[in-house]
Amino acid sequence: MIGREDIGGVHIKYLHHCRRQLWLYVRGIRPEHLSAAVQTGEAVHDVSYPRHSPVDLGAARLDFLDGQQWVHEVKSSSRPTDADRAQAYHYCHQLQRLGVEVQGAVLHYPATRRTHRYPYTPEAAAQAEEDITAALATAHAPVYPERLPRTGCRGCSFADYCWTE
């Protein structure tokens, strides 16, 4: 099973979107490659900011880090979510753990041409630590968490696993 150092940005994003999705993901169920929404997100990522290189942190991979130490993440959705912000804070947390003093995160939404800037505060650092603990608790749970209401599963690549009886 996974440990604290294995928690990546996808784990945190799934924790905030749907704990059942995280539980399935940790167990190797990964239907994302079959999802049109995921493929669209990968295409948006590939054509947005092509001059910047991703930063591989092992379990986490952020889109890029600028010269002022801001983490940048490109999102294919049109509006920010708590999961997006939590994922970005997780990347800040991972960089701080490695000794990089980050300023915070900038989330880019090319579909709406908007950006959102989130400074990395002590409260954000504490939340990132709590998220790792919660992700591990979900991952190590012996039974899967309850599924979201069907409206919360719209566009989720795991919907077939949750709603097939």
Side-chain angles (χ1 to χ4, degrees):
M1 201 42 87
I2 65 173
R4 295 186 79 77
E5 66 282 348
D6 301 319
I7 297 295
V10 172
H11 295 101
I12 299 301
K13 185 171 178 120
Y14 287 174
L15 172 73
H16 281 267
H17 177 253
C18 173
R19 290 180 186 236
R20 187 176 181 129
Q21 185 181 25
L22 171 61
W23 192 88
L24 291 167
Y25 180 78
V26 168
R27 281 157 180 78
I29 299 171
R30 298 182 176 180
E32 296 96 336
H33 68 284
L34 302 173
S35 169
V38 172
Q39 292 171 357
T40 300
E42 290 173 352
V44 167
H45 182 269
D46 289 344
V47 300
S48 302
Y49 309 98
R51 291 184 293 170
H52 298 283
S53 300
V55 178
D56 190 352
L57 301 174
R61 184 175 177 197
L62 57 102
D63 289 343
F64 64 96
L65 182 68
D66 69 19
Q68 283 82 42
Q69 308 296 50
W70 285 87
V71 170
H72 291 260
E73 277 292 303
V74 179
K75 300 296 179 186
S76 60
S77 62
S78 59
R79 60 186 169 97
T81 65
D82 288 342
D84 296 342
R85 187 177 60 240
Q87 183 182 23
Y89 281 151
H90 179 72
Y91 294 144
C92 293
H93 177 75
Q94 295 300 89
L95 287 168
Q96 290 271 2
R97 192 175 59 80
L98 295 172
V100 178
E101 290 296 322
V102 295
Q103 300 293 318
V106 180
L107 299 179
H108 300 266
Y109 295 88
T112 56
R113 297 180 179 226
R114 294 194 176 193
T115 59
H116 295 269
R117 188 173 292 259
Y118 300 101
Y120 190 61
T121 62
E123 294 79 20
Q127 184 62 52
E129 268 298 318
E130 289 176 23
D131 286 347
I132 292 171
T133 301
L136 286 172
T138 300
H140 294 150
V143 296
Y144 50 81
E146 291 294 316
R147 60 187 173 205
L148 297 175
R150 190 177 282 273
T151 56
C153 299
R154 191 175 317 138
C156 177
S157 56
F158 289 77
D160 288 344
Y161 291 94
C162 295
W163 289 97
T164 302
E165 299 290 333

